[in-house]
C-alpha cells in the first residue's frame, strides 16, 4: 500500500535531520544541481519543502513545489507563512504536471521510486520532460535498484533500514524505516530496475542520462570520520541521476 504522507508529515520532516541526509543526500544532490542562481525550478514530490526552500535560498529566481500529499503541502505552506521566501506550493500528482517548458531545472528527491510500474514511471518522466525548457536539466535521487536485500540492515547505524516485501521483482514494495529518537516511521516505495528507469526516461525524451554515486561532504568526513561513511558508500541505498530535457 502507498505511504499516506498526510499522517506522517511532521515525523518525515524529523527524518531529514539524520546526518546521512545532510552529508550525503543533500550534498550530492546540490552538487548535481550546480548553480541554481537565477533559474526557474520545479521541485516535484517536494514534501514539506526541504529542498524547495533550499533551492530558493541558493538563489533560484522562482521555485514551485508540487506534492501529492495535502498534509505535506500544508506543512510547506505553514513554513512559507512563518518565513516567506516567495515559494509556491501546489498539491497535485507529478504524473499530471504540465509546466509547459518553463523550467531550467526539474528537481525530484524520491519521486520516481513511487511509480509502481513502467507506465506510471513513464507518465512521471513525460511530465518532467514537458515541464523543462529546451536545454533544461533534471536531477533526482531514488532508491538504489542495485542495493541487494542482504544489505538492507546496514543502514541501522545511520538511522534507517529497508525491508523487501516478496521477491525482488519490478513493482515489489520496499519499506524504508527511519529510526528516530522516540519513534520509527515507515514509508513504502517500489522496486524498479535501472533498465526500466532508463527506458522510461529515454521514451519521455530525456537525454544524456548519467548515474551518480553518493558522495560525502567534507564536513561529514570532518565531523564523523571517513570510516563512519564506508559501509554506506560501499553499498549505497540511494542513487542519483541527472539528465537533459
Ligand atoms: C520521501 S518523500 C520526499 C519529500 C522531499 N522530496 C524530500 O526529499 O524531503 C516522498 C514524497 O513524494 C510524494 N509523492 C509520491 N508520489 C507522488 C506523485 N505521484 N506526485 C507527487 N508527489 C508524490 C509523497 O507525497 C512524499 O511527500
Amino acid at each position: 500500500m502507498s505511504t499516506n504522507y498526510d499522517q506522517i508529515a511532521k515525523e518525515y520532516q524529523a527524518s531529514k535531520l539524520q546526518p546521512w541526509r545532510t552529508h550525503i543526500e543533500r550534498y550530492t544532490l546540490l552538487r548535481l544541481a550546480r548553480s541554481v542562481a537565477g533559474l526557474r525550478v520545479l521541485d516535484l514530490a517536494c514534501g514539506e519543502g526541504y529542498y524547495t526552500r533550499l533551492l530558493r535560498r541558493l538563489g533560484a529566481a522562482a521555485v514551485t513545489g508540487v506534492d501529492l500529499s495535502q498534509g505535506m503541502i500544508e506543512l510547506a505552506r505553514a513554513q512559507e507563512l512563518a518565513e516567506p521566501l516567495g515559494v509556491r506550493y501546489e498539491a497535485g500528482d507529478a504524473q499530471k504536471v504540465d509546466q509547459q517548458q518553463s523550467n531550467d531545472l526539474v528537481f525530484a528527491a524520491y519521486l520516481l521510486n513511487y511509480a509502481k510500474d513502467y507506465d506510471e514511471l513513464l507518465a512521471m518522466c513525460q511530465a518532467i520532460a514537458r515541464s523543462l525548457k529546451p536545454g533544461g536539466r533534471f536531477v533526482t535521487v531514488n532508491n538504489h535498484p542495485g542495493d541487494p536485500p542482504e544489505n538492507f540492515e546496514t543502514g541501522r547505524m545511520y538511522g534507517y533500514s529497508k525491508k523487501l516485501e516478496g521477491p525482488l521483482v519490478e513493482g515489489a514494495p520496499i519499506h524504508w524505516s527511519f529510526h528516530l529518537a522516540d519513534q520509527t516511521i515507515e514509508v513504502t516505495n517500489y522496486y524498479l530496475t535501472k533498465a526500466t528507469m532508463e527506458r522510461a526516461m529515454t521514451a519521455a525524451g530525456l537525454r544524456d542520462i548519467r548515474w551518480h554515486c553518493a558522495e560525502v561532504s567534507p564536513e561529514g568526513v570532518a565531523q564523523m570520520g571517513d570510516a563512519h561513511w564506508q559501509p554506506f558508500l560501499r553499498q549505497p541505498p540511494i542513487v542519483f541521476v541527472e539528465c537533459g530535457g
Side-chain angles (χ1 to χ4, degrees):
M1 209 179 92
S2 287
T3 306
N4 185 346
Y5 276 91
D6 292 353
Q7 289 164 3
I8 56 156
K10 263 248 151 311
E11 292 76 11
Y12 183 78
Q13 193 177 30
S15 82
K16 296 297 275 192
L17 301 176
Q18 292 182 334
W20 71 274
R21 299 283 216 158
T22 311
H23 294 304
I24 294 183
E25 175 193 297
R26 185 175 83 183
Y27 176 72
T28 311
L29 269 175
L30 293 184
R31 264 168 73 87
L32 292 181
R34 303 185 207 146
S35 170
V36 297
L39 301 188
R40 287 186 73 88
V41 182
L42 172 62
D43 182 13
L44 288 178
C46 66
E48 51 76 37
Y50 179 89
Y51 286 110
T52 337
R53 290 187 296 277
L54 199 53
L55 292 162
R56 176 73 172 141
R57 287 197 173 106
L58 289 170
V63 190
T64 304
V66 174
D67 198 279
L68 197 55
S69 157
Q70 191 66 46
M72 285 292 211
I73 290 296
E74 277 164 21
L75 205 50
R77 285 187 180 144
Q79 290 170 92
E80 175 67 19
L81 211 60
E83 196 179 336
L85 294 170
V87 174
R88 224 158 53 96
Y89 293 102
E90 291 168 14
D93 187 341
Q95 293 183 40
K96 301 191 178 131
V97 163
D98 187 357
Q99 290 210 343
Q100 302 188 3
Q101 301 195 334
S102 62
N103 294 283
D104 302 288
L105 175 69
V106 174
F107 185 96
Y110 309 107
L111 168 67
L112 302 182
N113 51 205
Y114 283 94
K116 296 186 199 71
D117 56 30
Y118 175 78
D119 289 344
E120 288 189 7
L121 186 63
L122 179 63
M124 287 176 185
C125 293
Q126 285 170 333
I128 291 158
R130 67 178 170 252
S131 297
L132 276 175
K133 286 180 186 170
R137 295 169 63 243
F138 173 51
V139 169
T140 185
V141 61
N142 295 287
N143 182 64
H144 196 318
D147 186 20
E150 52 278 19
N151 186 53
F152 281 10
E153 286 294 314
T154 309
R156 281 205 180 254
M157 63 179 288
Y158 305 106
Y160 69 85
S161 54
K162 292 159 78 173
K163 201 167 63 198
L164 174 68
E165 189 183 316
L168 191 62
V169 293
E170 204 110 286
I174 294 179
H175 305 289
W176 283 71
S177 293
F178 296 99
H179 309 288
L180 308 178
D182 49 355
Q183 64 176 317
T184 294
I185 58 160
E186 194 175 277
V187 306
T188 300
N189 52 44
Y190 302 93
Y191 176 73
L192 291 168
T193 63
K194 187 175 172 186
T196 295
M197 290 171 79
E198 286 196 349
R199 188 156 67 92
M201 288 190 261
T202 305
L206 296 168
R207 293 169 300 108
D208 303 328
I209 301 163
R210 281 181 233 173
W211 295 79
H212 291 269
C213 294
E215 292 176 50
V216 187
S217 71
E219 295 77 24
V221 173
Q223 281 174 26
M224 310 183 91
D226 192 42
H228 173 77
W229 300 110
Q230 286 312 312
F232 192 109
L233 297 179
R234 261 197 302 277
Q235 193 62 73
I238 52 173
V239 70
F240 300 79
V241 185
E242 70 167 325
C243 46

